Amino acid sequence: MQTTTLMANAIRALAMDAVQKANSGHPGMPMGMAEIAVALWDGHYRHNPANPKWANRDRFLLSNGHGSMLHYSLLHLSGYAVTMDDLKSFRQLHSKTPGHPEVDITPGVETTTGPLGQGIANAVGMALSEYLLASEFNKPGFEVVDHYTYAFIGDGCLMEGISHEVCSLAGTLGLKKLIALYDDNGISIDGKVEGWFTDDTPQRFESYGWNVIRNVDGHDVAAVDAALAQARKSDKPTLICCKTVIGKGSPNLQGGDKVHGAALGDKEVAAVREHLEWSHAPFEIPANVYTSWDAKEKGAAVEAEWNTTFDAYRKQFPKEAAELERRMNGDLPANFDETLAAAIASCVDKKENTATRKASQNAIQALAPSLPEFLGGSADLTGSNLTNWKESIAVRSGKPGNHINYGVREFGMSAIMNGVALHGGYIPFGATFLTFSDYSRNALRMAALMKLRSIFVFTHDSIGLGEDGPTHQSVEHVSSLRLIPNLDNWRPCDTVESAVSWGAAVKRKDGPSTLIFSRQNLPFMDRSAAQIADIARGGYVLQDAPDAKVILIATGSEVELAVKAAAALKEQGMAARVVSMPSTDVFDRQDAAYKASVLTKGVPRVAIEAGVTDFWYKYVGLEGAVVGIDSFGESAPAPDLFKHFGFTVENVVSKVKAVLA
C-alpha cells in the first residue's frame, strides 16, 4: 500500500474512532478530505509543530469546522502537542479537542470555526495582513514576511452569504497568497445539495477575479499536489475544486448524508477497517505512519532558515525588525499613553460641541500617526462613519495602504477584521451604522469568543439620525450588544469620552470593543481631572449634589438631557446626581466599593437612554424608572423624534417625581 494511502487512512481511522468513542461528531468530511490533507500538509504547508506561533508560518484554516477531527488528526500525526489521549477526549469537557476548532485551546489551530463561512472570511483577513505587512517590511533580499494562507471549505461555507462578501473582496484586492480547497462532495445535512445548491461555483469565483482550478480528483494526492503547485504560481487568489466522496472508505455509508454528522456505529467502523485493510486497534497508529507524518524536523529546519534571514535583516534594518516584532507581539508603542493623554487634553482645551462620530475621527487622527498598526475601514460609509484620517491610504490591488473600502459588506468586514487580528501586526477597526450591526453580529460574537482586539465602530446610534426612519434607527441594538460576553461596548457623550473610549479599545488585548457614536452634535461636558480619569472605569459621577435625592444614569446623547433635568430638579428643590455610564461592561468589572461610590445604595435611580428599557432595570431596580423606547422609531427630524418619544426635561422630571413619591 502506498505511503500516501496509509497517511490518508490514518486520518480516516482516527476520525471515525474519535467520533465513535464520543458518540458525537462529523466523520464524513475528514474521511472525504484525507488525501487533500495529505497533499497540503505533507507537500506544501510550512509550519513548525514545536512552535505553533512562529511568525512566518503558513496559516491553515478549517472553514468547514464541523470536520474538526481532520485538523486534530493532522496536528497529532505531524507532531503538535495534541496527544492520543486528547483525541480520545474528543468533544469532552475541558479537552484540547472541542467539537469545533477553537484558537488558544488546541495548539496549531489558527481560528475558532463553527459558523460556516467565517473561516474563509478569517482567511481573507490573514492573507490581507500578510500582503500589507510584506509590502511594509520586506526589503530586497529579505522576504521576512512571506507565507500562504490555506483554507478548506465546503458546500455549507459557499452557501453562506458571507462567502460571497469576502471572496469577492479578496479577488478585487488580488490576494494571491490565499488558496482555498473546496470539498465538492455534493452532500449537506439535508442530503444531496443539488436540490438547493446548483451554483456554478467555478464560474462564480472566476467572476470574482480568482484563479480557479477545476475538476481535481480529491482522492488523488498527486493531482491535488499539482494543483497546489499551480496555485502558488498565480497572481490571484486560487480556488481548487476537489471532487470528493463524503465518508470515503465507509463501504455502506460513503457518498450519503448519514455519514455527515453522526458516528458510524460499531458494525460500520469494523467494515471500514476491513475495506481499508486497516487492521490496527482503535486509536493505534503504526510507527511507519507516524514517521511519514512527522513534521518536527522539517518544521524546525524551515523556521531556523527564516530565523537566519531575520537575524541578518535585524542587523541591516534594526528599526524595521524591532517594529515588526513589536507589532506581531501586540505591544503598543512606548509613547501611546502620552499620545492618548495629549488627545484627551486637546479635547478639554477645545471644548467642542460636535457629533461623537466626528469626535471619533478626531481621536483617530490624534492616535494614528503614532499607531502604524492601525488598519481602518468602513462598509461603504466612510464619509458618514468618519473612519479615515489625513494620512490614511486606501488599499487597492497592488497598492498597499492602511484603510479598506469594504463595500456594502458589513458581515464580511467584521469577519475579515477578526482574521487580521488573529494574524497579528495590525489593530483592525471597521465601521457601519449601528442598526447594521445586526448583519455583523455573529462575527462580533466570534471576536468576543476568541478574545480578539477587533474594534467595531458604529455610528448613527439612535432615533437621533432622524428622517431615515425606523429601518435605520437603532433601538434595541446597544442593549443587545451588551448581552455578548467579553464584548466591551462604549457609548460616549462628548469629545472627551470619545477619546477615552478609543484609548480603552486600543489598549484592550483580551477582547473586542464596540465604539458607538452619534450623528447629531452633542455638547462638551466640563470635568475635573479626577473625573476624566474615571471615564475609563466605564461609569462615573459627572455632576454631584449634596444630599442627592435621586441618581440619573445616562449614556451618549442622553447625558445632555440628564444634566438639563438635574438643573430643573434643582430649581424645584430636588437635588440629583448625574452618572455618565459610557460602558456598562467596564463599569460592571469595577470593585464593589467604586460601584457603590457611584451608585449609592438606597438612593432612587432613573436611567435615560434612547433604546429599549429592560436592560436598565439591573441598575435602577423595580422601584426605579427608565426613560427609553420600547417601540421602533419614526421618520422625522431628530428634535421632533426626541420630543415625541419623551426625551424631554419635563418627562424626566415627571419620572423622578413618580419614583420619589
Side-chain angles (χ1 to χ4, degrees):
M1 190 176 293
Q2 285 188 344
T3 299
T4 54
T5 301
L6 287 171
M7 294 169 73
N9 286 345
I11 293 172
R12 293 188 169 97
L14 289 173
M16 72 174 182
D17 288 342
V19 172
Q20 187 66 23
K21 185 175 186 299
N23 195 29
S24 173
H26 299 74
M29 187 279 267
M31 297 175 75
M33 293 194 77
E35 283 85 5
I36 299 172
V38 172
L40 175 61
W41 277 59
D42 189 50
H44 298 271
Y45 182 47
R46 295 194 315 162
H47 62 120
N48 183 5
N51 184 10
K53 297 295 187 181
W54 168 43
N56 199 46
R57 67 192 181 278
D58 287 340
R59 270 60 170 181
F60 171 75
L61 298 91
L62 195 73
S63 190
N64 41 354
H66 54 271
S68 56
M69 267 309 302
L70 173 65
H71 203 173
Y72 300 151
S73 299
L74 289 167
L75 294 169
H76 170 74
L77 292 167
S78 62
Y80 285 79
V82 178
T83 67
M84 189 63 82
D85 283 341
D86 292 326
L87 300 188
K88 292 178 181 178
S89 299
F90 178 56
R91 286 185 165 229
Q92 304 309 300
L93 185 64
H94 302 317
S95 77
K96 278 187 183 179
T97 50
H100 291 78
E102 294 187 41
V103 70
D104 295 330
I105 298 295
T106 313
V109 168
E110 299 284 1
T111 185
T112 298
T113 51
L116 292 174
Q118 288 200 60
I120 183 63
N122 295 163
V124 172
M126 292 184 184
L128 175 63
S129 297
E130 192 278 341
Y131 160 61
L132 295 176
L133 284 171
S135 302
E136 186 175 351
F137 287 99
N138 286 353
K139 304 292 182 183
F142 294 98
E143 302 293 313
V144 293
V145 180
D146 181 19
H147 51 267
Y148 283 82
T149 300
Y150 298 100
F152 283 2
I153 60 175
D155 287 308
C157 298
L158 295 180
M159 281 186 263
E160 291 285 2
I162 190 173
S163 70
H164 296 260
E165 296 183 28
V166 301
C167 293
S168 169
L169 185 60
T172 297
L173 295 180
L175 301 178
K176 66 180 182 180
K177 289 189 175 178
L178 172 62
I179 299 175
L181 295 105
Y182 168 33
D183 178 31
D184 183 10
N185 60 40
I187 294 291
S188 67
I189 291 174
D190 278 357
K192 293 183 179 180
V193 300
E194 63 191 21
W196 50 86
F197 182 54
T198 57
D199 298 13
D200 187 332
T201 296
Q203 195 170 62
R204 169 186 152 190
F205 274 76
E206 286 170 349
S207 75
Y208 293 156
W210 284 53
N211 170 44
V212 176
I213 303 175
R214 301 170 179 244
N215 299 318
V216 176
D217 182 351
H219 301 299
D220 183 338
V221 173
V224 179
D225 176 74
L228 285 163
Q230 181 182 341
R232 289 163 62 96
K233 297 176 183 176
S234 177
D235 60 356
K236 303 176 180 179
T238 296
L239 178 72
I240 302 174
C241 299
C242 301
K243 298 294 292 185
T244 63
V245 176
I246 191 171
K248 176 75 171 176
S250 174
N252 301 302
L253 296 177
Q254 66 180 20
D257 57 278
K258 287 183 173 58
V259 76
H260 172 88
L264 302 182
D266 292 332
K267 185 177 180 181
E268 188 64 13
V269 166
V272 172
R273 281 188 154 76
E274 182 178 354
H275 180 71
L276 297 180
E277 300 179 15
W278 187 267
S279 58
H280 313 289
F283 299 105
E284 180 182 308
I285 302 295
N288 64 316
V289 174
Y290 272 124
T291 300
S292 298
W293 267 114
D294 192 347
K296 293 192 293 292
E297 184 176 342
K298 185 194 299 184
V302 171
E303 183 179 355
E305 181 182 1
W306 180 83
N307 286 337
T308 299
T309 300
F310 193 76
D311 287 342
Y313 177 82
R314 190 198 313 277
K315 290 177 182 177
Q316 194 161 339
F317 306 100
K319 181 179 177 181
E320 289 85 350
E323 176 68 3
L324 179 58
E325 287 183 315
R326 176 188 72 78
R327 286 167 53 174
M328 290 302 292
N329 289 333
D331 299 328
L332 294 177
N335 67 340
F336 179 75
D337 285 339
E338 180 182 341
T339 303
L340 177 60
I344 296 169
S346 176
C347 295
V348 174
D349 291 341
K350 292 179 180 177
K351 295 180 168 45
E352 289 181 306
N353 299 334
T354 188
T356 52
R357 61 171 174 154
K358 180 58 181 175
S360 166
Q361 186 178 46
N362 293 342
I364 295 170
Q365 183 61 62
L367 299 177
S370 63
L371 276 179
E373 57 264 56
F374 253 4
L375 183 60
S378 178
D380 201 50
L381 292 166
T382 303
S384 294
N385 299 145
L386 304 181
T387 51
N388 56 341
W389 62 102
K390 290 178 182 177
E391 298 83 9
S392 61
I393 301 169
V395 176
R396 297 289 185 264
S397 178
K399 295 179 180 179
N402 53 15
H403 190 275
I404 301 166
N405 299 105
Y406 285 101
V408 188
R409 302 181 177 102
E410 296 89 355
F411 190 7
M413 171 183 71
S414 301
I416 288 172
M417 286 166 53
N418 289 345
V420 170
L422 285 160
H423 181 279
Y426 292 99
I427 298 175
F429 63 91
T432 185
F433 291 173
L434 177 58
T435 192
F436 303 136
S437 64
D438 286 338
Y439 284 149
S440 300
R441 190 175 182 87
N442 204 264
L444 270 66
R445 183 178 188 273
M446 297 306 293
L449 178 61
M450 292 189 276
K451 302 179 180 179
L452 303 181
R453 184 156 56 185
S454 296
I455 301 174
F456 303 99
V457 177
F458 297 123
T459 67
H460 297 61
D461 66 342
S462 72
I463 57 171
L465 72 85
E467 292 85 346
D468 277 343
T471 62
H472 283 52
Q473 291 167 3
S474 299
V475 175
E476 76 278 19
H477 297 80
V478 178
S479 286
S480 70
L481 291 172
R482 291 173 179 141
L483 296 176
I484 299 176
N486 198 43
L487 177 65
D488 281 0
N489 302 280
W490 291 86
R491 187 172 182 245
C493 75
D494 70 351
T495 57
V496 174
E497 285 191 1
S498 297
V500 171
S501 65
W502 261 108
V506 169
K507 293 172 74 170
R508 188 179 187 216
K509 295 182 69 172
D510 62 351
S513 302
T514 73
L515 304 178
I516 300 169
F517 300 118
S518 73
R519 175 184 184 269
Q520 73 275 26
N521 288 345
L522 302 180
F524 174 83
M525 297 289 170
D526 282 312
R527 301 173 185 83
S528 67
Q531 287 174 310
I532 292 173
D534 283 343
I535 295 172
R537 304 185 77 164
Y540 65 103
V541 179
L542 176 64
Q543 288 187 7
D544 210 354
D547 301 319
K549 302 301 182 186
V550 67
I551 299 174
L552 303 179
I553 311 169
T555 78
S557 51
E558 288 69 69
V559 171
E560 174 188 10
L561 176 58
V563 169
K564 289 179 177 178
L569 288 166
K570 182 179 179 180
E571 290 178 359
Q572 298 180 39
M574 291 174 283
R577 169 183 290 181
V578 177
V579 170
S580 177
M581 198 176 287
S583 178
T584 61
D585 312 279
V586 175
F587 180 76
D588 287 348
R589 292 200 296 269
Q590 303 307 305
D591 61 80
Y594 178 76
K595 288 188 285 187
S597 73
V598 175
L599 300 178
T600 307
K601 188 175 181 180
V603 180
R605 305 165 188 173
V606 174
I608 311 166
E609 185 172 64
V612 292
T613 60
D614 280 0
F615 170 83
W616 286 102
Y617 286 100
K618 67 182 282 189
Y619 297 105
V620 304
L622 295 179
E623 69 280 2
V626 182
V627 178
I629 306 175
D630 288 316
S631 65
F632 293 109
E634 297 275 358
S635 178
D640 296 344
L641 291 171
F642 279 113
K643 183 177 180 180
H644 171 75
F645 285 105
F647 289 91
T648 63
V649 169
E650 294 77 15
N651 188 41
V652 174
V653 169
S654 175
K655 292 280 189 180
V656 169
K657 288 180 178 179
V659 167
L660 294 179

